[in-house]
Amino acid sequence: IRSDGSSRFGQDKRFGFFPSASAGWRFIEEEGVKDLNWLSDGKLRFSLGSTGNESIGGYTSRGEFTLGTNYLDFSGASPTVMPNASLTWETTHQYNLGLELGFLQNRILFSADAYLKRTSDLLYNVPLPSTTGFDYVTRNIGAIENRGLEFSLQTRNLQGAFKWNTNINVSLNRNKVTSLP
C-alpha cells in the first residue's frame, strides 16, 4: 500500500492511497505437468493496482498571481491561474492477467498478457469564457479506459559460435474516453 502526498492539491486532498497486489502460480511444478518433456516452464499470473497522477502546475489549487504594470503604468498583481481547492489525484486502476510458457528446454518462450486500465478524475484544463480573465481552470473531470492484449515470442534458434535469436512482439490496445463533460 502506497501513500503519496502532494502540495499541488488542496489541504484536504493532499494525500492519495494506492494499493497493489500480485500473485503467480507456477503450474509446471504440479504433478502430471512437470513430467511433460516438451513443456519446460509454465506460469499463470495476476496483478492489480492503483497509481496516482499529480501532473499539474505547482500552485494550481491555490491560484497564481503575476507582478507587473498595467496599461496605465500602475504596478500591481493580477491573477493568472484560477484557483481550485477541490483538485485531487487523478487515479488509475489496472488489472493484468498473464501466461508464460517455455518449450524445448526454454528455447521457445511465449507470453501473453491481457490488461484493463481505467483512469478517473482526469486532471483537465477546462476552457473558460474570456470575460472571466482566465483562459481555463484545472478540474478533475472525465475518465479513460484502455484494454489490450500483448503477445511475445522469443526463440533461440542457433546457439554456439554463431548465435541466432528471434524476438516477436505484438500489442493491441483500445483506448476509449468513457466520460468527458
Side-chain angles (χ1 to χ4, degrees):
I1 296 176
R2 179 182 173 116
S3 174
D4 288 334
S6 176
S7 60
R8 295 179 178 199
F9 301 119
Q11 186 71 26
D12 298 334
K13 311 278 185 168
R14 280 208 175 135
F15 291 94
F17 298 95
F18 309 105
S20 65
S22 66
W25 173 42
R26 293 188 50 83
F27 60 84
I28 189 68
E29 298 172 359
E30 299 295 327
E31 290 297 324
V33 178
K34 64 182 174 183
D35 297 329
L36 299 175
N37 293 334
W38 54 272
L39 187 63
S40 45
D41 195 11
K43 181 178 180 181
L44 188 63
R45 50 188 163 68
F46 176 75
S47 64
L48 56 93
S50 299
T51 57
N53 177 17
E54 60 163 349
S55 295
I56 57 174
Y59 300 98
T60 303
S61 67
R62 295 187 178 133
E64 291 182 23
F65 289 84
T66 298
L67 299 175
T69 57
N70 65 12
Y71 66 95
L72 296 175
D73 251 1
F74 290 109
S75 296
S78 63
T80 56
V81 173
M82 185 174 210
N84 183 355
S86 65
L87 284 177
T88 188
W89 290 85
E90 178 180 297
T91 305
T92 300
H93 302 285
Q94 183 164 339
Y95 309 90
N96 186 34
L97 179 63
L99 173 68
E100 298 176 9
L101 298 173
F103 303 97
L104 305 174
Q105 298 171 347
N106 285 335
R107 290 190 64 147
I108 301 172
L109 298 172
F110 173 79
S111 69
D113 285 277
Y115 63 87
L116 172 62
K117 184 176 175 181
R118 291 186 173 135
T119 303
S120 60
D121 294 326
L122 292 173
L123 292 166
Y124 190 78
N125 292 334
V126 178
L128 293 174
S130 60
T131 55
T132 65
F134 299 98
D135 294 329
Y136 62 87
V137 61
T138 304
R139 293 183 52 204
N140 290 100
I141 61 169
I144 295 176
E145 180 179 280
N146 285 286
R147 294 174 179 260
L149 300 171
E150 295 181 355
F151 301 98
S152 174
L153 180 64
Q154 301 173 19
T155 61
R156 292 184 297 152
N157 304 316
L158 296 175
Q159 299 297 311
F162 179 76
K163 294 183 180 186
W164 173 22
N165 296 330
T166 304
N167 294 314
I168 299 170
N169 188 352
V170 176
S171 298
L172 306 165
N173 183 61
R174 294 213 184 256
N175 180 283
K176 182 178 181 182
V177 176
T178 56
S179 171
L180 189 62

